Amino acid sequence: MSDSPRIVIVGAGHAGGTAAALLRQYGHHGAMTLIGDEPLEPYQRPPLSKAWLKGEADGDSLRLKAPEWYGDNGVDVRLSQSVRAIDRATRTVSLGSGDVVSYDVLILATGARARRLAVEGVGLNGVVTLRTAADAEVLKAVLARQPHRIKRLVVIGGGYVGLEAAASARSLGAEVVVVERESRILARVACTTLSTFFAAYHRQQGVEFILDAAVERLVGENGQVAAVQLADGSRLDCDAVLVGVGAVPNDELARDAGLNCQDGVLVDLAARTSDPAVYAIGDVTRRPMPLYETLMRLESVPNALEQARQAAAAITGRPAPESETPWFWSDQYDLKLQIAGVPVGCTDIVVRGSATAPGFALFHMAGDVIRAVEAVNAPAEFLAGRQLIGRRAPVCRERLADRATPMRGVAL
């Protein structure tokens, strides 16, 4: 391999766009091609369910880099292009357009797609997921304010994206019903205490929840969704349906190319796949988590940025960055939820503050060691908790539960 290898990045999302910028920042001067299947340069996705949906942001404000940055820095950007196949023997990728692009180093940043709801009617107009700017534009248009016309949104799935969209829709004056198949919202991603708090807060804002519910089919009129029919026979009339029932990694290209995959592309701590010339970053990967001594697939911006740094450092010969404690966030109404760590191997939860009002934190414990923290409008607890998780530092549980004790004083 030459000193300036040809790099191809497949996927122009947050991970792929960041990797391109970091490679230039770290001194890579060789040819670089960034291929994306959307018509936009890399942009921030978290605001899609919040600022974008409410009309407070647009494509220009969310772009990671100005469009001219790519040309100025010698990045060949190919938008609205799909990649059909990877040939590892010849080190080429074949595009849907028929073009073939050669690489010395390949970075897969293909992300994840919304899990499909397997019921009749999902192809109707007004049935959307929320993974791209185009998705957000469709939903925003449906929920746009109109005089004397209250819109109704049904959200299928009570996860974070669905709840964020529900909060945004309420701010736009829409009626919102959340349908969840489990007995509580956030059942897969949060503890019962946090679920209870967010459900109560949303209800105060006028959101209706239907739990333990199965969707039987979506009903249309003239090609437009008009109602959600539940298995118990009830019908929810609506103007739009947002489906948020999880995500599936886009690892088909990697699997077809013979790379090791396991519900995502398997990578090491340098974001390197089973082929030393191929890296993978972001939502598409299943990666080592030394802090928890296991492999995980993390869907978050911080994870995408960390793996972009890992890959860029390895490719340019820089020292490997230190492993980070995973973290996530969600904005709903005036609430900022910040999560650090993953509650693996925990025995109980220490509550700091009152979990009935904003300004509390839930610490997931393994004995006297914090493994994860969920903080609602409690930034000091989040920041300190994240540091303590990374250090695996034992804490005094009594001081941890006492809000009068500063977080700097809870470690033993």
Short mmCIF file of all heavy atoms in Angstrom, two decimals, residues 7 9 11-26 32 34 41-45 62-65 69-70 75 107 109 281-282 300-313 315:
data_model
loop_
_atom_site.label_atom_id
_atom_site.label_comp_id
_atom_site.label_asym_id
_atom_site.label_seq_id
_atom_site.Cartn_x
_atom_site.Cartn_y
_atom_site.Cartn_z
N ILE A 7 -8.87 5.92 -0.57
CA ILE A 7 -9.87 5.55 0.43
C ILE A 7 -11.26 5.76 -0.16
O ILE A 7 -11.56 6.81 -0.72
CB ILE A 7 -9.70 6.38 1.71
CG1 ILE A 7 -8.35 6.08 2.35
CG2 ILE A 7 -10.83 6.08 2.70
CD1 ILE A 7 -8.06 6.91 3.60
N ILE A 9 -15.25 5.61 1.10
CA ILE A 9 -16.17 5.54 2.24
C ILE A 9 -17.57 5.30 1.69
O ILE A 9 -18.09 6.12 0.92
CB ILE A 9 -16.14 6.85 3.06
CG1 ILE A 9 -14.72 7.15 3.53
CG2 ILE A 9 -17.09 6.75 4.26
CD1 ILE A 9 -14.56 8.53 4.19
N GLY A 11 -21.28 5.27 2.51
CA GLY A 11 -22.20 5.78 3.52
C GLY A 11 -21.83 7.20 3.87
O GLY A 11 -20.75 7.45 4.43
N ALA A 12 -22.71 8.15 3.52
CA ALA A 12 -22.41 9.56 3.76
C ALA A 12 -23.27 10.12 4.88
O ALA A 12 -23.83 11.21 4.78
CB ALA A 12 -22.62 10.37 2.47
N GLY A 13 -23.36 9.37 5.96
CA GLY A 13 -24.06 9.83 7.15
C GLY A 13 -23.10 10.49 8.12
O GLY A 13 -22.02 10.95 7.74
N HIS A 14 -23.50 10.51 9.40
CA HIS A 14 -22.66 11.17 10.40
C HIS A 14 -21.31 10.47 10.53
O HIS A 14 -20.26 11.12 10.63
CB HIS A 14 -23.40 11.16 11.75
CG HIS A 14 -23.14 12.38 12.56
ND1 HIS A 14 -24.13 13.14 13.14
CD2 HIS A 14 -22.00 12.99 12.92
CE1 HIS A 14 -23.61 14.16 13.79
NE2 HIS A 14 -22.31 14.08 13.68
N ALA A 15 -21.32 9.14 10.52
CA ALA A 15 -20.07 8.39 10.66
C ALA A 15 -19.17 8.59 9.45
O ALA A 15 -17.98 8.92 9.58
CB ALA A 15 -20.36 6.91 10.88
N GLY A 16 -19.71 8.39 8.26
CA GLY A 16 -18.90 8.52 7.04
C GLY A 16 -18.38 9.92 6.83
O GLY A 16 -17.21 10.12 6.47
N GLY A 17 -19.24 10.93 7.05
CA GLY A 17 -18.81 12.31 6.89
C GLY A 17 -17.73 12.69 7.87
O GLY A 17 -16.76 13.40 7.53
N THR A 18 -17.86 12.22 9.11
CA THR A 18 -16.85 12.52 10.12
C THR A 18 -15.53 11.84 9.79
O THR A 18 -14.45 12.42 9.97
CB THR A 18 -17.34 12.08 11.50
OG1 THR A 18 -18.54 12.79 11.83
CG2 THR A 18 -16.28 12.35 12.58
N ALA A 19 -15.59 10.61 9.31
CA ALA A 19 -14.36 9.89 8.95
C ALA A 19 -13.61 10.64 7.85
O ALA A 19 -12.38 10.79 7.91
CB ALA A 19 -14.70 8.47 8.50
N ALA A 20 -14.32 11.15 6.86
CA ALA A 20 -13.68 11.90 5.77
C ALA A 20 -12.98 13.13 6.32
O ALA A 20 -11.82 13.43 5.96
CB ALA A 20 -14.72 12.29 4.72
N ALA A 21 -13.66 13.87 7.20
CA ALA A 21 -13.07 15.09 7.76
C ALA A 21 -11.85 14.77 8.62
O ALA A 21 -10.83 15.47 8.56
CB ALA A 21 -14.13 15.84 8.57
N LEU A 22 -11.95 13.71 9.42
CA LEU A 22 -10.84 13.36 10.31
C LEU A 22 -9.62 12.88 9.51
O LEU A 22 -8.48 13.17 9.88
CB LEU A 22 -11.28 12.28 11.30
CG LEU A 22 -12.21 12.74 12.42
CD1 LEU A 22 -12.67 11.54 13.23
CD2 LEU A 22 -11.51 13.74 13.33
N LEU A 23 -9.86 12.14 8.45
CA LEU A 23 -8.74 11.67 7.64
C LEU A 23 -7.95 12.84 7.09
O LEU A 23 -6.70 12.82 7.09
CB LEU A 23 -9.25 10.78 6.51
CG LEU A 23 -9.65 9.36 6.94
CD1 LEU A 23 -10.51 8.70 5.87
CD2 LEU A 23 -8.40 8.52 7.23
N ARG A 24 -8.63 13.86 6.62
CA ARG A 24 -7.92 15.05 6.15
C ARG A 24 -7.23 15.76 7.32
O ARG A 24 -6.09 16.21 7.21
CB ARG A 24 -8.89 15.99 5.44
CG ARG A 24 -9.37 15.49 4.08
CD ARG A 24 -8.21 15.26 3.12
NE ARG A 24 -8.64 14.99 1.76
CZ ARG A 24 -8.21 13.96 1.03
NH1 ARG A 24 -7.31 13.11 1.54
NH2 ARG A 24 -8.63 13.79 -0.21
N GLN A 25 -7.94 15.86 8.43
CA GLN A 25 -7.36 16.52 9.61
C GLN A 25 -6.12 15.78 10.10
O GLN A 25 -5.14 16.41 10.55
CB GLN A 25 -8.40 16.58 10.71
CG GLN A 25 -7.93 17.24 12.01
CD GLN A 25 -8.99 17.20 13.09
OE1 GLN A 25 -10.18 17.24 12.81
NE2 GLN A 25 -8.56 17.11 14.34
N TYR A 26 -6.12 14.46 9.99
CA TYR A 26 -5.00 13.65 10.47
C TYR A 26 -3.87 13.54 9.45
O TYR A 26 -2.89 12.85 9.68
CB TYR A 26 -5.47 12.24 10.85
CG TYR A 26 -6.35 12.16 12.08
CD1 TYR A 26 -6.91 10.95 12.48
CD2 TYR A 26 -6.63 13.29 12.85
CE1 TYR A 26 -7.71 10.86 13.61
CE2 TYR A 26 -7.44 13.21 13.99
CZ TYR A 26 -7.98 11.98 14.35
OH TYR A 26 -8.79 11.89 15.47
N MET A 32 -9.83 10.32 -2.11
CA MET A 32 -10.89 9.89 -1.22
C MET A 32 -12.24 10.07 -1.92
O MET A 32 -12.52 11.12 -2.49
CB MET A 32 -10.88 10.71 0.09
CG MET A 32 -11.78 10.12 1.18
SD MET A 32 -11.92 11.21 2.64
CE MET A 32 -10.19 11.56 2.99
N LEU A 34 -16.43 9.59 -1.27
CA LEU A 34 -17.50 9.43 -0.29
C LEU A 34 -18.79 9.17 -1.05
O LEU A 34 -19.23 10.01 -1.84
CB LEU A 34 -17.61 10.70 0.57
CG LEU A 34 -18.72 10.75 1.63
CD1 LEU A 34 -18.52 9.68 2.69
CD2 LEU A 34 -18.77 12.14 2.28
N GLU A 41 -25.35 16.14 1.40
CA GLU A 41 -24.07 15.87 2.04
C GLU A 41 -24.33 15.46 3.50
O GLU A 41 -25.42 15.65 4.03
CB GLU A 41 -23.19 17.13 2.01
CG GLU A 41 -22.71 17.55 0.64
CD GLU A 41 -23.71 18.42 -0.09
OE1 GLU A 41 -24.78 18.71 0.50
OE2 GLU A 41 -23.44 18.81 -1.24
N PRO A 42 -23.32 14.86 4.17
CA PRO A 42 -23.52 14.39 5.54
C PRO A 42 -24.14 15.45 6.45
O PRO A 42 -23.72 16.61 6.45
CB PRO A 42 -22.09 14.04 5.98
CG PRO A 42 -21.41 13.64 4.71
CD PRO A 42 -21.97 14.55 3.66
N TYR A 43 -25.15 15.04 7.21
CA TYR A 43 -25.86 15.96 8.09
C TYR A 43 -26.19 15.28 9.41
O TYR A 43 -26.13 14.05 9.54
CB TYR A 43 -27.15 16.47 7.41
CG TYR A 43 -28.15 15.39 7.08
CD1 TYR A 43 -29.15 15.01 7.99
CD2 TYR A 43 -28.14 14.74 5.85
CE1 TYR A 43 -30.07 14.02 7.69
CE2 TYR A 43 -29.06 13.76 5.53
CZ TYR A 43 -30.03 13.40 6.46
OH TYR A 43 -30.94 12.42 6.16
N GLN A 44 -26.54 16.08 10.39
CA GLN A 44 -26.92 15.59 11.71
C GLN A 44 -28.32 14.98 11.65
O GLN A 44 -29.25 15.59 11.15
CB GLN A 44 -26.92 16.72 12.73
CG GLN A 44 -25.61 17.46 12.86
CD GLN A 44 -25.75 18.64 13.79
OE1 GLN A 44 -26.14 18.50 14.94
NE2 GLN A 44 -25.45 19.83 13.29
N ARG A 45 -28.48 13.79 12.20
CA ARG A 45 -29.78 13.13 12.18
C ARG A 45 -30.61 13.30 13.45
O ARG A 45 -31.85 13.30 13.35
CB ARG A 45 -29.60 11.64 11.86
CG ARG A 45 -29.05 11.44 10.46
CD ARG A 45 -28.79 9.99 10.11
NE ARG A 45 -28.04 9.94 8.86
CZ ARG A 45 -28.59 9.88 7.66
NH1 ARG A 45 -29.90 9.87 7.54
NH2 ARG A 45 -27.85 9.84 6.57
N LEU A 62 -27.95 21.88 9.42
CA LEU A 62 -27.61 20.57 9.97
C LEU A 62 -26.43 19.90 9.29
O LEU A 62 -25.95 18.87 9.76
CB LEU A 62 -28.83 19.64 9.89
CG LEU A 62 -30.07 20.06 10.70
CD1 LEU A 62 -31.10 18.95 10.68
CD2 LEU A 62 -29.71 20.42 12.13
N ARG A 63 -25.94 20.48 8.19
CA ARG A 63 -24.81 19.85 7.50
C ARG A 63 -23.57 19.80 8.38
O ARG A 63 -23.28 20.74 9.11
CB ARG A 63 -24.49 20.61 6.22
CG ARG A 63 -25.46 20.37 5.07
CD ARG A 63 -24.91 20.94 3.79
NE ARG A 63 -25.74 20.60 2.64
CZ ARG A 63 -26.69 21.38 2.15
NH1 ARG A 63 -26.94 22.56 2.71
NH2 ARG A 63 -27.40 20.99 1.10
N LEU A 64 -22.83 18.71 8.30
CA LEU A 64 -21.58 18.60 9.06
C LEU A 64 -20.53 19.55 8.51
O LEU A 64 -19.73 20.12 9.26
CB LEU A 64 -21.05 17.16 9.02
CG LEU A 64 -21.95 16.06 9.60
CD1 LEU A 64 -21.19 14.74 9.61
CD2 LEU A 64 -22.43 16.41 10.99
N LYS A 65 -20.50 19.70 7.20
CA LYS A 65 -19.57 20.60 6.53
C LYS A 65 -20.32 21.33 5.43
O LYS A 65 -21.28 20.81 4.86
CB LYS A 65 -18.39 19.82 5.90
CG LYS A 65 -17.49 19.09 6.88
CD LYS A 65 -16.61 20.06 7.65
CE LYS A 65 -15.59 19.30 8.51
NZ LYS A 65 -14.74 20.24 9.31
N TRP A 69 -16.74 22.41 1.14
CA TRP A 69 -15.61 21.83 1.88
C TRP A 69 -15.06 20.60 1.16
O TRP A 69 -13.85 20.40 1.10
CB TRP A 69 -16.02 21.46 3.31
CG TRP A 69 -14.89 20.87 4.11
CD1 TRP A 69 -13.99 21.55 4.89
CD2 TRP A 69 -14.52 19.48 4.19
NE1 TRP A 69 -13.09 20.67 5.44
CE2 TRP A 69 -13.39 19.40 5.03
CE3 TRP A 69 -15.03 18.32 3.63
CZ2 TRP A 69 -12.78 18.19 5.32
CZ3 TRP A 69 -14.41 17.10 3.91
CH2 TRP A 69 -13.30 17.05 4.75
N TYR A 70 -15.95 19.78 0.63
CA TYR A 70 -15.53 18.51 0.04
C TYR A 70 -14.66 18.76 -1.20
O TYR A 70 -13.61 18.12 -1.35
CB TYR A 70 -16.77 17.67 -0.28
CG TYR A 70 -17.57 17.38 0.98
CD1 TYR A 70 -18.64 18.20 1.33
CD2 TYR A 70 -17.24 16.33 1.81
CE1 TYR A 70 -19.37 17.97 2.49
CE2 TYR A 70 -17.96 16.08 2.97
CZ TYR A 70 -19.02 16.91 3.31
OH TYR A 70 -19.71 16.70 4.47
N VAL A 75 -12.29 15.73 -1.74
CA VAL A 75 -13.15 14.57 -1.47
C VAL A 75 -14.17 14.47 -2.61
O VAL A 75 -14.97 15.39 -2.82
CB VAL A 75 -13.87 14.70 -0.12
CG1 VAL A 75 -14.76 13.48 0.12
CG2 VAL A 75 -12.87 14.85 1.01
N ILE A 107 -13.99 1.99 3.89
CA ILE A 107 -14.69 2.21 5.16
C ILE A 107 -16.18 2.05 4.91
O ILE A 107 -16.76 2.76 4.08
CB ILE A 107 -14.41 3.62 5.73
CG1 ILE A 107 -12.92 3.84 5.97
CG2 ILE A 107 -15.19 3.83 7.02
CD1 ILE A 107 -12.58 5.24 6.45
N ALA A 109 -19.77 2.63 6.24
CA ALA A 109 -20.53 3.44 7.19
C ALA A 109 -21.99 3.47 6.73
O ALA A 109 -22.60 4.52 6.58
CB ALA A 109 -19.95 4.86 7.26
N ILE A 281 -17.78 1.45 10.60
CA ILE A 281 -18.03 2.39 11.69
C ILE A 281 -19.51 2.71 11.79
O ILE A 281 -20.25 2.61 10.82
CB ILE A 281 -17.23 3.70 11.50
CG1 ILE A 281 -17.60 4.37 10.17
CG2 ILE A 281 -15.72 3.44 11.55
CD1 ILE A 281 -16.89 5.70 9.93
N GLY A 282 -19.94 3.08 13.00
CA GLY A 282 -21.29 3.56 13.19
C GLY A 282 -22.30 2.47 13.47
O GLY A 282 -21.98 1.37 13.94
N SER A 300 -25.83 5.37 18.05
CA SER A 300 -25.71 6.69 18.64
C SER A 300 -24.67 7.51 17.89
O SER A 300 -23.73 6.96 17.29
CB SER A 300 -25.30 6.61 20.12
OG SER A 300 -23.95 6.19 20.26
N VAL A 301 -24.83 8.82 17.94
CA VAL A 301 -23.84 9.71 17.34
C VAL A 301 -22.48 9.58 18.04
O VAL A 301 -21.45 9.49 17.36
CB VAL A 301 -24.34 11.16 17.35
CG1 VAL A 301 -23.23 12.13 16.96
CG2 VAL A 301 -25.52 11.32 16.40
N PRO A 302 -22.42 9.59 19.38
CA PRO A 302 -21.11 9.45 20.02
C PRO A 302 -20.36 8.19 19.59
O PRO A 302 -19.14 8.22 19.41
CB PRO A 302 -21.45 9.42 21.51
CG PRO A 302 -22.72 10.22 21.62
CD PRO A 302 -23.48 9.85 20.39
N ASN A 303 -21.08 7.09 19.41
CA ASN A 303 -20.42 5.87 18.96
C ASN A 303 -19.89 6.04 17.54
O ASN A 303 -18.78 5.62 17.22
CB ASN A 303 -21.39 4.69 19.01
CG ASN A 303 -20.79 3.42 18.44
OD1 ASN A 303 -19.86 2.85 19.00
ND2 ASN A 303 -21.30 2.99 17.29
N ALA A 304 -20.68 6.67 16.67
CA ALA A 304 -20.23 6.90 15.29
C ALA A 304 -18.97 7.75 15.27
O ALA A 304 -18.03 7.48 14.52
CB ALA A 304 -21.35 7.58 14.49
N LEU A 305 -18.94 8.79 16.11
CA LEU A 305 -17.77 9.66 16.15
C LEU A 305 -16.55 8.93 16.71
O LEU A 305 -15.43 9.08 16.20
CB LEU A 305 -18.07 10.89 17.01
CG LEU A 305 -19.25 11.77 16.56
CD1 LEU A 305 -19.38 12.97 17.48
CD2 LEU A 305 -19.08 12.20 15.12
N GLU A 306 -16.76 8.12 17.75
CA GLU A 306 -15.64 7.38 18.33
C GLU A 306 -15.04 6.41 17.31
O GLU A 306 -13.82 6.34 17.14
CB GLU A 306 -16.08 6.62 19.57
CG GLU A 306 -14.93 5.84 20.23
CD GLU A 306 -15.37 4.99 21.40
OE1 GLU A 306 -16.59 4.82 21.61
OE2 GLU A 306 -14.49 4.49 22.12
N GLN A 307 -15.89 5.68 16.61
CA GLN A 307 -15.36 4.72 15.64
C GLN A 307 -14.74 5.41 14.43
O GLN A 307 -13.78 4.89 13.85
CB GLN A 307 -16.47 3.77 15.21
CG GLN A 307 -16.86 2.79 16.32
CD GLN A 307 -17.73 1.68 15.78
OE1 GLN A 307 -18.84 1.93 15.30
NE2 GLN A 307 -17.24 0.46 15.83
N ALA A 308 -15.26 6.58 14.06
CA ALA A 308 -14.61 7.35 12.99
C ALA A 308 -13.20 7.73 13.40
O ALA A 308 -12.26 7.67 12.58
CB ALA A 308 -15.44 8.58 12.66
N ARG A 309 -13.03 8.12 14.67
CA ARG A 309 -11.68 8.45 15.17
C ARG A 309 -10.80 7.21 15.18
O ARG A 309 -9.61 7.29 14.83
CB ARG A 309 -11.78 9.06 16.57
CG ARG A 309 -12.28 10.49 16.60
CD ARG A 309 -12.10 11.12 17.96
NE ARG A 309 -13.02 10.55 18.95
CZ ARG A 309 -14.24 11.01 19.20
NH1 ARG A 309 -14.72 12.03 18.52
NH2 ARG A 309 -14.99 10.44 20.12
N GLN A 310 -11.35 6.08 15.58
CA GLN A 310 -10.56 4.85 15.62
C GLN A 310 -10.05 4.49 14.22
O GLN A 310 -8.86 4.20 14.03
CB GLN A 310 -11.42 3.70 16.17
CG GLN A 310 -11.76 3.81 17.65
CD GLN A 310 -12.74 2.74 18.10
OE1 GLN A 310 -13.38 2.07 17.28
NE2 GLN A 310 -12.89 2.56 19.40
N ALA A 311 -10.95 4.51 13.25
CA ALA A 311 -10.56 4.14 11.89
C ALA A 311 -9.58 5.14 11.30
O ALA A 311 -8.56 4.74 10.70
CB ALA A 311 -11.81 4.04 11.01
N ALA A 312 -9.85 6.43 11.46
CA ALA A 312 -8.96 7.45 10.89
C ALA A 312 -7.58 7.37 11.51
O ALA A 312 -6.56 7.54 10.82
CB ALA A 312 -9.56 8.83 11.10
N ALA A 313 -7.51 7.11 12.81
CA ALA A 313 -6.21 6.99 13.48
C ALA A 313 -5.44 5.78 12.96
O ALA A 313 -4.24 5.85 12.68
CB ALA A 313 -6.40 6.89 14.99
N ILE A 315 -5.75 4.21 10.07
CA ILE A 315 -5.38 4.37 8.66
C ILE A 315 -4.20 5.32 8.49
O ILE A 315 -3.33 5.10 7.64
CB ILE A 315 -6.60 4.88 7.86
CG1 ILE A 315 -7.68 3.80 7.80
CG2 ILE A 315 -6.19 5.30 6.45
CD1 ILE A 315 -9.02 4.29 7.29
#
